[in-house]
Amino acid sequence: MDVYNTVERATVPFEPDTSRPIGIYVCGPTVQSEPHLGHGRSAVAFDVLRRYLMWQGLDVLFVRNITDIEDKIIARAQERGVSTDVVAAEADEAFRRAYDLLGNLAPSIEPRATDHIPEMISMISDLIDSGHAYESSGDVYFSVRSFPAYGILSRHDLDDLRSGERVAVDDKKRDPLDFAMWKAAKPGEPTWDSPWGSGRPGWHIECSAMAAKYLGPSFAIHAGGSDLIFPHHENEIAQAEAANGEQFARYWMHNGMLNLSGEKMAKSTGHLVTLLGSLERWDPIAVRLFYLRTHYRKPLEFSEEALADAEASLARLHSFRRRFPPTIDATADANMITRFSSSMDNDLDVAGALGVLFDLVREGNSRLDAGEDANSLASAFDEIMYVFGLTSADETRTEGPDVREIAAQFGIEEGTIDDLLELREGARRDKDWATSDTLRDALADASIVIEDTPDGARWHRN
RNA sequence: GGCGACGUGGCCGAGUGGCUAGGCAAGGGUCUGCAAAACCCUGGACCCGGGUUCGAUUCCCGGCGUCGCCUCCA
């Protein structure tokens, strides 16, 4: 498999150390407010990466952090007159629900910044001892000049970034580009004790410390949004490598931004579409498919049309799958699997792999229409759908819908969907189209769609 | 100003130096009591100008346009 490594600015072979679990660290959200559609994109992109590696039989240790202490959380808590824990817990809950609805696997480990203050303090102390950091009036800053490789990820040259109007000059810093790892306590803020007095951690240090704790000083993949490349990830590298003396992440992967009217969605400007709202309006799995249709590194433009389009595509996939029993005992079609993997091996070309999936669907439908066996295709379909995470809960649900009220209207007490279908089959045999169609309409009103086939009627939820 | 990405048919969106991407939408047909689903067929594409090449949408140079990062941000 090849992946695009941001450090190299090139697609390179992915050669993980398979003697231990493949460590993936994804920068999770700052839980300051509810998620927007862009957050979902990032989560889905790297969930598919993880699923694909797992599907190949690799052992993956997937860590996604939760930043639960940070300037904006503090500001919001103060505005509302509640503690930062309340703000963080509310937003955390919203993120969790949204990620779950989108069909993402739960991370192996989900560390919170506030649970790792000692690890951060320890790393900061080491950096001070080794001359990479210094204390200044209760703050501790990382000295970018002490780390020659600074800028390796973002390809920034220190002298280009220098001072100017864009970087606030702060006389507590030796160099304007030095960044805070520890911030001295301010009134009304949550604080922790440290060797430099009470205060709280800066943003970047948490990821360096938590990644090292759970994945070791050197691990396979570090991922996140492309907006984190500078300064966040650049700073993470500086801290971690200066402290541990080893290469931090070997591969850096970044997803492209989700745009709204041509501009990036962002919390800070309120230029966004909320994620939970979208998941109510559109089928969550269709939202996932909307993300998947565009390569993860490219910008993705939000539009209602695109979401509706994704719903229609998803319906095609589902209606294909409904032509088979829930469990399929067949070897997956080798040709389709090969085509699928070669797309995926090309830096997760999911859009290309979706093309393969739809080819598979057409071929499978054709075979079924011709009365031939298509189980090997269905089996491949299931594998691919698993990797994409497009298998919806609804699809795997086995119990029938509650149609007792409708059944009662047709004179059947405590009737099931099967009873109704039987009734309708009888009416159709008698060419009683009025009853047959009334029944179908009644079920349609309850979001249950009936389709007649040569082998009898099928139903599914709309 | 510095660093970087992108520009494909009505819409969305892969990919490739010469061989059908795919989805959605549109038109025509088959099947069906009707419907739905499905299958078949059709149209239409690679921002502009140079260059390399037998041949470029694909490589190189230039231009135009859009966007991201350089400040919190998935």
Side-chain angles (χ1 to χ4, degrees):
Chain A
M1 177 185 191
D2 293 335
V3 299
Y4 185 87
N5 188 355
T6 306
V7 180
E8 300 180 57
R9 301 289 162 116
T11 302
V12 298
F14 178 58
E15 291 162 342
D17 172 4
T18 49
S19 68
R20 59 179 184 134
I22 294 171
I24 300 180
Y25 186 96
V26 177
C27 277
T30 299
V31 281
Q32 63 172 67
S33 55
E34 74 164 300
H36 63 244
L37 269 174
H39 294 106
R41 184 185 191 192
S42 188
V44 167
F46 300 118
D47 182 60
V48 170
L49 167 67
R50 176 192 186 183
R51 284 167 176 268
Y52 185 58
L53 295 174
M54 287 167 61
W55 178 74
Q56 293 180 318
L58 297 165
D59 194 9
V60 177
L61 188 56
F62 190 91
V63 179
R64 184 176 61 216
N65 70 297
I66 295 168
T67 300
D68 60 351
I69 183 69
E70 180 268 349
D71 292 3
K72 293 225 170 85
I73 298 174
I74 294 169
R76 191 148 310 224
Q78 287 177 342
E79 262 166 47
R80 293 175 50 191
V82 298
S83 74
T84 52
D85 289 346
V86 170
V87 172
E90 281 177 11
D92 181 22
E93 166 61 23
F95 271 94
R96 199 171 295 279
R97 208 147 56 82
Y99 284 169
D100 189 51
L101 282 168
L102 281 171
N104 294 317
L105 301 173
S108 317
I109 303 171
E110 226 173 341
R112 288 156 188 288
T114 55
D115 292 336
H116 296 80
I117 305 290
E119 287 85 348
M120 296 187 226
I121 289 176
S122 163
M123 185 174 266
I124 295 169
S125 299
D126 289 348
L127 288 168
I128 292 177
D129 293 345
S130 58
H132 288 290
Y134 56 93
E135 188 267 333
S136 175
S137 323
D139 292 345
V140 180
Y141 295 97
F142 184 90
S143 170
V144 294
R145 295 278 169 190
S146 76
F147 186 70
Y150 194 82
I152 188 174
L153 179 68
S154 57
R155 305 232 163 163
H156 279 139
D157 185 85
L158 273 178
D159 294 315
D160 289 338
L161 285 167
R162 246 191 111 65
S163 54
E165 304 132 271
R166 292 206 175 255
V167 180
V169 177
D170 183 337
D171 53 17
K172 286 170 141 185
K173 296 181 185 178
R174 293 181 188 163
D175 186 290
L177 292 166
D178 290 349
F179 56 89
M181 294 189 291
W182 190 260
K183 299 178 177 185
K186 291 191 195 116
E189 291 186 355
T191 62
W192 289 263
D193 290 334
S194 83
W196 319 286
S198 66
R200 62 186 173 89
W203 176 36
H204 318 296
I205 191 69
E206 66 176 86
C207 289
S208 300
M210 296 191 293
K213 174 170 180 179
Y214 295 106
L215 299 175
S218 184
F219 57 95
I221 299 173
H222 192 128
S226 60
D227 52 352
L228 298 182
I229 294 171
F230 190 90
H232 186 52
H233 289 163
E234 194 70 62
N235 291 352
E236 278 189 55
I237 292 174
Q239 293 165 331
E241 297 192 359
N244 300 324
E246 294 187 47
Q247 184 182 21
F248 187 45
R250 288 191 299 283
Y251 299 87
W252 285 86
M253 296 177 72
H254 293 95
N255 65 277
M257 296 294 101
L258 186 70
N259 292 165
L260 176 61
S261 313
E263 278 173 32
K264 183 184 126 176
M265 267 191 204
K267 271 190 285 207
S268 53
T269 54
H271 180 69
L272 53 80
V273 175
T274 68
L275 184 49
L276 286 170
S278 301
L279 296 177
E280 270 173 36
R281 177 158 174 200
W282 292 284
D283 179 339
I285 301 301
V287 175
R288 186 176 176 100
L289 181 57
F290 160 71
Y291 293 138
L292 259 29
R293 295 191 315 172
T294 301
H295 185 88
Y296 77 95
R297 278 193 285 117
K298 282 199 169 182
L300 203 202
E301 175 73 23
F302 166 84
S303 76
E304 305 203 344
E305 294 72 28
L307 267 304
D309 195 282
E311 280 191 329
S313 298
L314 184 64
R316 180 167 164 79
L317 297 175
H318 285 335
S319 80
F320 171 69
R321 187 59 183 83
R322 278 197 300 275
R323 301 183 76 173
F324 299 87
T327 307
I328 292 156
D329 184 23
T331 307
D333 184 273
N335 177 44
M336 290 299 173
I337 293 295
T338 302
R339 289 179 58 200
F340 165 73
S341 336
S342 55
S343 279
M344 294 296 282
D345 283 345
N346 180 19
D347 189 33
L348 298 177
D349 177 11
V350 174
L354 274 168
V356 175
L357 184 64
F358 281 102
D359 281 348
L360 180 159
V361 166
R362 193 182 330 95
E363 191 180 328
N365 276 322
S366 290
R367 278 199 213 168
L368 290 180
D369 286 356
E372 296 166 12
D373 175 86
N375 284 345
S376 63
L377 288 173
S379 179
F381 178 90
D382 282 354
E383 288 198 26
I384 294 170
M385 289 289 274
Y386 168 76
V387 174
F388 289 157
L390 290 175
T391 312
S392 69
D394 215 49
E395 208 178 321
T396 52
R397 189 154 57 185
T398 50
E399 82 274 17
D402 181 358
V403 293
R404 281 173 296 181
E405 266 184 48
I406 297 169
Q409 287 167 32
F410 288 85
I412 308 173
E413 292 307 317
E414 297 300 309
T416 64
I417 182 81
D418 289 332
D419 295 332
L420 287 173
L421 291 184
E422 202 176 308
L423 177 68
R424 183 161 173 278
E425 279 306 305
R428 292 187 71 218
R429 268 196 303 275
D430 299 339
K431 299 200 188 299
D432 176 4
W433 308 128
T435 301
S436 156
D437 291 349
T438 309
L439 183 43
R440 186 170 61 196
D441 291 346
L443 287 168
D445 287 343
S447 290
I448 295 163
V449 179
I450 301 297
E451 294 174 17
D452 294 316
T453 79
D455 306 322
R458 280 201 312 257
W459 66 271
H460 69 270
R461 290 182 179 80
N462 185 9

